[in-house]
Amino acid sequence: MGDSDGMIGGHVGKILRVNLTTGVIDSIPTEKYDQWIGGFGLGMAVWFDEIDHDYITDTYDKTAFEPDNVLGLFTGPQQGTLAPSGSRCEVIG
């Protein structure tokens, strides 16, 4: 389901992943997330895959600044177009 621009299912094919603790920068392919539409859906799917599930269930003494926490910034498929609200950005954490 691609086109000549290399877009796959409304996504550009890669998600940038930056580890602020170690400074490692890499990317995640988006093929796994083609079913999720928009910044919020894509962001929550990636967040759920990236977060340590023990971190989710044991949050009694955790804060937002824990090294295991994941913070995501995602845009929707209309980013860069003239569509109303097309420039929205979702912050997932």
Side-chain angles (χ1 to χ4, degrees):
M1 179 170 138
D3 64 10
S4 60
D5 293 334
M7 292 183 64
I8 301 170
H11 306 297
V12 294
K14 292 183 182 179
I15 300 169
L16 181 67
R17 178 182 10 197
V18 179
N19 186 326
L20 297 175
T21 304
T22 63
V24 174
I25 300 172
D26 60 354
S27 64
I28 305 168
T30 60
E31 290 89 21
K32 180 179 177 181
Y33 303 107
D34 281 347
Q35 64 186 348
W36 306 107
I37 299 173
F40 183 75
L42 177 65
M44 288 305 296
V46 171
W47 180 83
F48 194 76
D49 286 348
E50 293 291 313
I51 194 80
D52 179 13
H53 293 277
D54 290 334
Y55 179 81
I56 296 172
T57 57
D58 184 26
T59 58
Y60 176 72
D61 60 345
K62 305 283 189 202
T63 69
F65 302 105
E66 299 289 326
D68 293 335
N69 197 4
V70 175
L71 177 67
L73 303 171
F74 292 87
T75 60
Q78 294 180 340
Q79 179 71 28
T81 68
L82 296 176
S85 301
S87 61
R88 291 178 54 188
C89 179
E90 300 292 336
V91 178
I92 307 294

